Amino acid sequence: MPDAAEIPLDEAAPAAKPAVEGSAAAAILLMLLDESEAATILKHLDPDEVRELAKAMFDSANASEVQIELALEQFVLQSRSVSALAIGADTRIRTVINQAVGNVRADNILAAVAPQRSAASLEMLRWMDVDAISGLLASEHPQVGALILSVLVPDIAARAIETLDELLQADLVLRAAQLSSVPAAAIEDLEAVLTSANADGQRVVKQAIGGPSDVAKIMKQMPKQLSERTIRALKKHDKLLAQTIEEEMFIFENLRDLDKKSLGTVLRSVDAAQLAIALKGTDEDMVDLCLSTMSKRASETIRDEMAEMTMVKRVDVDEAQKAIMMIVRQMAASGEIMIAGAGDDYV
């Protein structure tokens, strides 16, 4: 067999082209555009996407000719799947409807059938730093503050509320948890606070935001001591709502976050039949994780009970899982197990 060095160049296997995809390919394309054209594209992206592309543009500054060709090939291939009808469709449709039935009727029709858009104010909030948001929460009416809190990413909301007065924290959390849908007038108030107008002047429809689930996500990002204090304050105003938020903060799936010893401690306190029903509504990985904390005999008993079940009502599974999570919270409160919050650190 000839040495690799003796193989003629024309017989050697072609070198594999380096992969260029995702943000790297997008960054190369942006670098090829005029500055104003690239800026126009970036205006339509999320803050995280802009940051990712900015980093990729620096990394792509020394892209090779082959990498540039690969990025252009990807763009051409993907562009073939984009319908010509989609380009500028929103503007054309609105213009046609306006001309056909008049502005007032067009607004009513489009509000009902057009895809919902985020208000300009909600977009602006995503670009503000935490200190500026915290200042707004402290200075504005609590109802406006609750709306701001509800539309933020949970970890940003948790950081923004952390420095506020305890009474204001509880008030904002209570109001945010009581939100369900928000009328256009409330969105307009928020826009006025942020000195922003709706981008295209269209009437803002109700936004489905807030509620116990969103507040629970925020609370989970707080340090444990702060979240517990806030829950206690919330219970003085609305005990049932506080309980709902607690249930949402640590759901059955979060058992995966417990260390094996704590999980075993919990499951030894759970009735076998109840655990079998609860596990019936989970995936096989969760079943294996839970049963791995038990003796071979106990785990086989649970598996046998699950196998004997045919159809289990979703409501029965939910009730069984909630009962188990009640035990988890009781054990955490008594110190038998440890549930760490976002700001907790143990060694």
Side-chain angles (χ1 to χ4, degrees), residues 220-235:
K220 285 180 68 174
Q221 296 296 327
M222 295 179 180
K224 185 179 178 183
Q225 186 176 7
L226 176 57
S227 67
E228 289 178 347
R229 188 178 68 201
T230 306
I231 283 289
R232 286 196 299 270
L234 188 58
K235 284 180 178 178

Side-chain angles (χ1 to χ4, degrees), residues 34-223:
D34 178 82
E35 291 177 4
S36 61
E37 293 173 333
T40 300
I41 293 172
L42 290 174
K43 285 179 182 178
H44 296 282
L45 303 181
D46 294 336
D48 289 342
E49 292 171 330
V50 173
R51 282 189 285 270
E52 182 180 353
L53 277 175
K55 181 181 182 302
M57 289 170 76
F58 278 110
D59 295 340
S60 302
N62 296 317
S64 66
E65 188 174 333
V66 173
Q67 290 174 316
I68 294 172
E69 288 177 359
L70 286 172
L72 288 170
E73 285 177 10
Q74 276 200 46
F75 174 73
V76 171
L77 287 172
Q78 293 182 19
S79 296
R80 289 174 181 168
S81 63
V82 178
S83 168
L85 292 177
I87 301 174
D90 186 275
T91 301
R92 295 201 312 276
I93 293 169
R94 292 179 185 278
T95 300
V96 169
I97 301 299
N98 280 335
Q99 291 178 355
V101 300
N103 291 342
V104 176
R105 291 179 180 174
D107 283 349
N108 290 334
I109 293 172
L110 293 172
V113 301
Q116 296 185 12
R117 301 175 172 191
S118 296
S121 57
L122 309 191
E123 289 295 319
M124 183 176 177
L125 275 170
R126 297 166 68 188
W127 293 87
M128 293 176 67
D129 61 44
V130 174
D131 290 340
I133 295 171
S134 187
L136 279 176
L137 294 175
S139 60
E140 295 301 324
H141 188 281
Q143 195 60 29
V144 175
L147 180 55
I148 292 173
L149 197 65
S150 297
V151 299
L152 292 172
V153 176
D155 64 326
I156 298 296
R159 288 163 55 197
I161 199 175
E162 188 171 344
T163 58
L164 301 179
D165 176 81
E166 292 182 25
L167 293 177
L168 180 56
Q169 288 174 348
D171 191 18
L172 288 174
V173 168
L174 174 66
R175 291 172 183 266
Q178 290 173 334
L179 287 174
S180 55
S181 61
V182 182
I187 297 290
E188 289 169 3
D189 288 342
L190 179 55
E191 288 175 343
V193 168
L194 297 174
T195 64
S196 177
N198 191 21
D200 57 6
Q202 299 298 324
R203 185 176 63 179
V204 181
V205 296
K206 289 186 176 182
Q207 305 281 335
I209 58 177
S213 294
D214 282 353
V215 168
K217 292 174 185 177
I218 295 171
M219 302 278 281
K220 285 180 68 174
Q221 296 296 327
M222 295 179 180

